[in-house]
């Protein structure tokens, strides 16, 4: 009977330790965020209105949390000399589901050259709904169709090879994995975007057992926005906590067994 009670006590201790630890690590029972961001609109004779119909060689971004991302539209026909409609689209991410969502386009490159671009205040729509389409967040680059009158890119814009957009996502409640490559060819694993302060802050828990979870965040400012790299493995920490709890339980059991022989 004492052994059963001991196991019950160990289980309760494990639950008490792992539950706040999982919360501190940002885990959730909800389905993880994962969606394909892309550039939608019309360039020359080509129109793209879904991530599945982007042109050959174009780049989509798997948005899975707060990070910096990039998307690119490769022009595979004769190019374009003017725009009708162009926007960044992030399907299934809206302020209705993520109340704190924010998306900011930081840079635009046309044929490899950085544009003189600044995102206007009315370019962002975090709850765009249209019949036959998934709800989405949009950042309008040039709008000659939907009535927003956004013209952050000029209508008379010649695109011979490609247009690339760099943007940051924040307010999803979790860190994402950037697809933006640095100059040495490695990907930025996490980026803070508008949540720099959050990225540089590590929650401190007084219980000594949480010392197993060590996180170091380095933030550096670049022309492309704020990037940060995080080291440490919360999963390993959680496994270590479980191991400590169970090992402690076995140790107590062994001690009881020895005493019973006496």
């Amino acid at each position: 009977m004492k052994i059963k009670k001991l196991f019950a006590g160990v289980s309760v201790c494990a639950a008490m330790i792992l539950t706040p630890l999982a919360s501190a690590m940002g885990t959730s029972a909800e389905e993880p965020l994962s969606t394909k961001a892309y550039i939608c609109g019309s360039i020359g004779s080509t129109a793209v209105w879904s991530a599945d119909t982007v042109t050959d060689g174009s780049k989509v971004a798997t948005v899975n949390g707060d990070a910096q991302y990039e998307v690119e539209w490769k022009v595979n026909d004769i190019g374009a000399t003017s725009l009708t409609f162009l926007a960044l689209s992030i399907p299934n991410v809206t302020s209705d589901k993520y109340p704190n969502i924010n998306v900011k386009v930081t840079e635009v490159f046309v044929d490899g050259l950085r544009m003189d671009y600044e995102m206007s205040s009315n370019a962002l729509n975090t709850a765009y709904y249209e019949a036959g389409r998934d709800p989405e967040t949009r950042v309008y680059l040039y709008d000659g169709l939907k009535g927003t009158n956004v013209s952050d890119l000029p209508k008379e814009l010649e695109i011979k090879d490609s247009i690339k957009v760099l943007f940051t996502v924040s307010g999803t409640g979790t860190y994402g994995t950037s697809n933006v490559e640095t100059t040495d060819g490695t990907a930025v694993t996490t980026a803070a975007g508008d949540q720099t302060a959050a990225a540089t802050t590590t929650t401190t828990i007084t219980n000594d057992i949480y010392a197993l979870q060590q996180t170091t965040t380095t933030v550096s400012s670049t022309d492309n926005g704020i990037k940060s790299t995080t080291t440490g493995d919360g999963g390993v920490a959680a496994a270590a906590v479980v191991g400590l709890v169970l090992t402690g339980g076995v140790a107590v059991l062994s001690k009881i067994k020895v005493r019973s022989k006496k």
Side-chain angles (χ1 to χ4, degrees), residues 7-205:
F7 272 122
V10 170
S11 299
V12 170
C13 289
M16 291 175 64
I17 292 172
L18 293 179
T19 299
L21 178 58
S23 177
M25 291 161 54
T27 56
S28 172
E30 296 180 1
E31 183 179 352
L33 168 64
S34 182
T35 187
K36 300 290 186 182
Y38 65 103
I39 302 174
C40 70
S42 177
I43 297 179
S45 60
T46 305
V48 172
W49 297 106
S50 73
D52 297 329
T53 60
V54 298
T55 58
D56 292 340
S58 294
K59 186 175 186 178
V60 300
T62 300
V63 174
N64 58 359
D66 294 1
Q68 183 184 48
Y69 303 94
E70 66 179 17
V71 289
E72 186 174 17
W73 182 333
K74 282 284 188 179
V75 179
N76 293 329
D77 52 17
I78 60 174
T81 57
S82 65
L83 299 176
T84 302
F85 181 88
L86 211 61
L88 168 68
S89 173
I90 310 178
N92 297 309
V93 174
T94 67
S95 55
D96 295 326
K97 187 174 183 180
Y98 303 95
N100 297 318
I101 192 68
N102 188 39
V103 178
K104 182 177 181 180
V105 171
T106 56
E107 289 185 283
V108 176
F109 295 83
V110 173
D111 298 337
L113 300 177
R114 183 186 285 112
M115 297 289 293
D116 183 12
Y117 169 85
E118 184 176 354
M119 181 175 160
S120 60
S121 59
N122 63 328
L124 176 63
N125 184 343
T126 59
Y128 179 81
Y129 290 84
E130 181 179 323
R133 293 178 60 84
D134 291 329
E136 62 189 274
T137 284
R138 276 186 176 179
V139 177
Y140 296 99
L141 302 170
Y142 180 83
D143 179 17
L145 289 177
K146 303 298 181 179
T148 65
N149 298 318
V150 172
S151 56
D152 293 343
L153 292 180
K155 177 178 175 59
E156 305 302 322
L157 179 63
E158 183 176 14
I159 305 174
K160 296 179 179 179
D161 178 60
S162 71
I163 178 169
K164 180 168 67 174
V165 173
L166 274 70
F167 63 99
T168 58
V169 175
S170 61
T172 65
T174 185
Y175 288 120
T177 304
S178 175
N179 70 333
V180 179
E181 292 187 353
T182 61
T183 54
D184 61 0
T186 59
V188 181
T189 55
T190 56
D194 293 337
Q195 291 188 329
T196 305
T200 58
T201 303
T202 301
T203 302
T204 301
I205 304 175

Side-chain angles (χ1 to χ4, degrees), residues 212-225:
L212 292 170
Q213 185 184 7
Q214 297 293 336
T215 302
T216 302
T217 303
T218 303
V219 178
S220 62
S221 179
T222 69
D223 291 339
N224 295 340

